[in-house]
Amino acid sequence: MQQTAREAEAQAIGEKKVKDLMKDNKRLVEVPYSASLAHTMNVLVANRVVAVPVAAPPGQWIGAGGSMIMETDKQTGVLRKHYIGMVTMLDILAHIAGEEDGPGLVDLERKMAVPVSSIIGNNVEGLSLWTLSPNTSILECMELFSMGIHRAMVPIDGEAAGVELVKSASSYRMLTQMDVLRFLSQQIPEMQQTLGQSVKEMGAINENVMAITDKTKVIEAIKCMKSSFLNAVPIVRSTQLGGDHTHTQLFTGRGRKLGGTFSATDLRGCHLATLQTWLQQTALEFTETIGKSALLEGTTAGGRELVTCGEESSMKEVMEKVVSKHVHRIWVTDEHGLLLGLISLSDMIRAIRVSLLSQIQT
C-alpha cells in the first residue's frame, strides 16, 4: 500500500538518532561542587544557559537520585569526576528568596557565597540527571523530553543504552528540549503535513495556567515559582481582580488580560547590587525596565518580549516563534489578549511525537 505524505514524514523523522542532533553542540558547561553561587551565576550568564551540571571528585558524593554518571580519562580509564546533580537559575533564585535576614531584608552577598553543592535538590529537577545514548532514536528522546525532562547528558564515547548509562564516558555533551525543537524546525520542508496542524487540533495547549498580578513583588514571584516548580509565570492586570485579592500567591490566569512575563532567566544577568534593589519592586516593573534597557547583559531579546499565539496557530508557526525568540513557553491568547493557556516545550514535543507515532502505527 502506498505511503501517505504524513506517513513518509513520520518514517523519515523516526529514523533520526540523537547523534544527528548533536553535531553543533559545544563542550559541556559545568561547575565544580565547591563553586560559589555567585560564580555559578556568572557561568550561566557567560554561556547563556539556564542550568549546569555540578561535578565532584569520584567517591566523595552520592549523586542526585543515586546518579552514577562519571567521566573517565580517555587513555587510562581512571575516574576523573562524578556528576552529582544539576543546578538551575530557579534553584539560585529560590535560595535567594528563601529565609529572609529580617523583614524584607536579604543579605545577597552572604547567600551568594555558599557552595553550589549546598542547594542541589532545592528544585525537583536538580534531583535527577538523565543520559541518552547517541544511538537513541529521536522518538525515544522526545518521549523523555515530553515528560518534562528539560535536558539530558549524551556521552561522546562509552556505552549507553536508551536513557540509562551503562558505563562511564570520557566526555559528555548536553542535549536540551530546545535543541530538539531547533532540529525539528530545520526539518520543516519534510514535516509540512504534521506541523501544518493547529496547536489546538494537536492537543498542545495546557489550559491550567497559573499567574501573578502586576502588583506582585519580584521576591514574592520567585517564592511562588519555587513552590510550584515554575520557571516563568504570566503577569495579569490586578484591576480585573477583587480588592481582597492577595498579590503573594499564584492564581488561575485563564480569562485574564495578559500584561507580561516574569521568568527566572531574566534575572540571571543582574549584578548583585541591582538584584538587591529589584527584589522589593514589582515583577511588572522589572520586566518593563529590562525591555527598554540593556540591564541584563548576556540575555537574549526573546526573554524580554511577550511571545503569544492563538488557538488556531499552526505548530510550525509556534515552533518557529519559540526557536527564534529562544523562549521556553508561549502564551495562548484570544483576539482580546485574554489568556487561554500556555504551550511549554514539553507540550510541543509531546504533541509532535504523538502525531508522528500515529502515522507510523497506522
Side-chain angles (χ1 to χ4, degrees), residues 178 183 261 270 289 331:
M178 185 64 77
F183 176 80
T261 302
C270 279
T289 299
W331 308 119

Side-chain angles (χ1 to χ4, degrees), residues 184-199:
L184 291 175
S185 71
Q186 294 165 356
Q187 315 301 313
I188 282 176
E190 291 80 30
M191 295 182 65
Q192 290 285 2
Q193 299 288 322
T194 300
L195 299 181
Q197 301 173 86
S198 73
V199 288

Side-chain angles (χ1 to χ4, degrees), residues 3-16 138-139 184 187-197 352 355-357 359-360:
Q3 274 189 324
T4 66
R6 285 183 63 184
E7 287 171 344
E9 285 179 1
Q11 195 69 45
I13 295 299
E15 292 172 357
K16 301 289 186 182
I138 189 171
L139 288 174
L184 291 175
Q187 315 301 313
I188 282 176
E190 291 80 30
M191 295 182 65
Q192 290 285 2
Q193 299 288 322
T194 300
L195 299 181
Q197 301 173 86
I352 294 171
S355 180
L356 291 171
L357 282 176
Q359 296 307 310
I360 292 173

Side-chain angles (χ1 to χ4, degrees), residues 243-271:
D244 59 347
H245 180 82
T246 176
H247 302 288
T248 60
Q249 296 178 357
L250 293 173
F251 61 95
T252 300
R254 183 173 165 83
R256 314 286 188 183
K257 181 73 172 178
L258 180 63
T261 302
F262 181 71
S263 169
T265 308
D266 290 342
L267 284 159
R268 68 181 170 185
C270 279
H271 297 297

Side-chain angles (χ1 to χ4, degrees), residues 309-328:
C309 72
E311 285 184 312
E312 299 304 324
S313 298
S314 70
M315 182 61 79
K316 172 181 177 291
E317 177 189 345
V318 171
M319 189 162 67
E320 287 178 334
K321 278 188 178 183
V322 162
V323 172
S324 65
K325 304 296 185 184
H326 202 79
V327 293
H328 293 82

Side-chain angles (χ1 to χ4, degrees), residues 121-344:
N122 276 0
N123 188 358
V124 170
E125 190 172 2
L127 289 173
S128 59
L129 287 173
W130 295 85
T131 59
L132 284 168
S133 163
N135 294 315
T136 300
S137 75
I138 189 171
L139 288 174
E140 284 183 278
C141 169
M142 291 172 72
E143 180 180 16
L144 179 69
F145 285 165
S146 69
M147 297 187 294
I149 305 300
H150 296 140
R151 55 192 62 83
M153 296 170 68
V154 179
I156 301 307
D157 52 32
E159 296 179 19
V163 297
E164 182 180 357
L165 192 66
V166 177
K167 290 187 177 180
S168 54
S170 61
S171 61
Y172 294 84
R173 296 288 185 270
M174 188 67 74
L175 182 70
T176 67
Q177 289 179 320
M178 185 64 77
D179 291 328
V180 172
L181 288 172
R182 187 178 294 112
F183 176 80
L184 291 175
S185 71
Q186 294 165 356
Q187 315 301 313
I188 282 176
E190 291 80 30
M191 295 182 65
Q192 290 285 2
Q193 299 288 322
T194 300
L195 299 181
Q197 301 173 86
S198 73
V199 288
K200 182 179 181 180
E201 183 183 359
M202 295 183 73
I205 302 172
N206 180 359
E207 296 182 354
N208 182 27
V209 54
M210 304 305 291
I212 59 173
T213 80
D214 52 9
K215 293 184 179 179
T216 303
K217 293 181 179 181
V218 167
I219 191 166
E220 297 297 344
I222 294 170
K223 289 177 180 178
C224 289
M225 290 158 64
K226 175 192 175 184
S227 64
S228 297
F229 308 114
L230 298 172
N231 286 298
V233 286
I235 304 171
V236 302
R237 301 294 176 183
S238 56
T239 51
Q240 296 180 297
L241 306 170
D244 59 347
H245 180 82
T246 176
H247 302 288
T248 60
Q249 296 178 357
L250 293 173
F251 61 95
T252 300
R254 183 173 165 83
R256 314 286 188 183
K257 181 73 172 178
L258 180 63
T261 302
F262 181 71
S263 169
T265 308
D266 290 342
L267 284 159
R268 68 181 170 185
C270 279
H271 297 297
L272 289 187
T274 307
L275 185 55
Q276 182 83 64
T277 301
W278 279 114
L279 287 176
Q280 298 303 323
Q281 301 301 312
T282 71
L284 183 62
E285 288 173 331
F286 173 78
T287 57
E288 288 178 342
T289 299
I290 63 171
K292 299 173 186 174
S293 70
L295 175 64
L296 297 187
E297 182 182 355
T299 57
T300 63
R304 305 168 194 172
E305 186 177 341
L306 198 56
V307 184
T308 64
C309 72
E311 285 184 312
E312 299 304 324
S313 298
S314 70
M315 182 61 79
K316 172 181 177 291
E317 177 189 345
V318 171
M319 189 162 67
E320 287 178 334
K321 278 188 178 183
V322 162
V323 172
S324 65
K325 304 296 185 184
H326 202 79
V327 293
H328 293 82
R329 85 286 311 156
I330 188 166
W331 308 119
V332 184
T333 59
D334 65 11
E335 63 272 21
H336 304 295
L338 301 181
L339 262 177
L340 298 176
L342 75 128
I343 304 173
S344 67

Side-chain angles (χ1 to χ4, degrees), residues 73-111:
D73 185 276
K74 194 168 187 177
Q75 272 71 43
T76 65
V78 174
L79 293 177
R80 293 191 301 196
K81 63 181 72 167
H82 178 192
Y83 291 103
I84 61 173
M86 188 79 66
V87 168
T88 70
M89 188 62 207
L90 185 58
D91 287 323
I92 296 176
L93 293 178
H95 173 72
I96 290 172
E99 185 179 335
E100 294 184 355
D101 298 282
L105 298 177
V106 176
D107 185 346
L108 273 183
E109 283 198 24
R110 178 182 64 82
K111 289 200 169 190

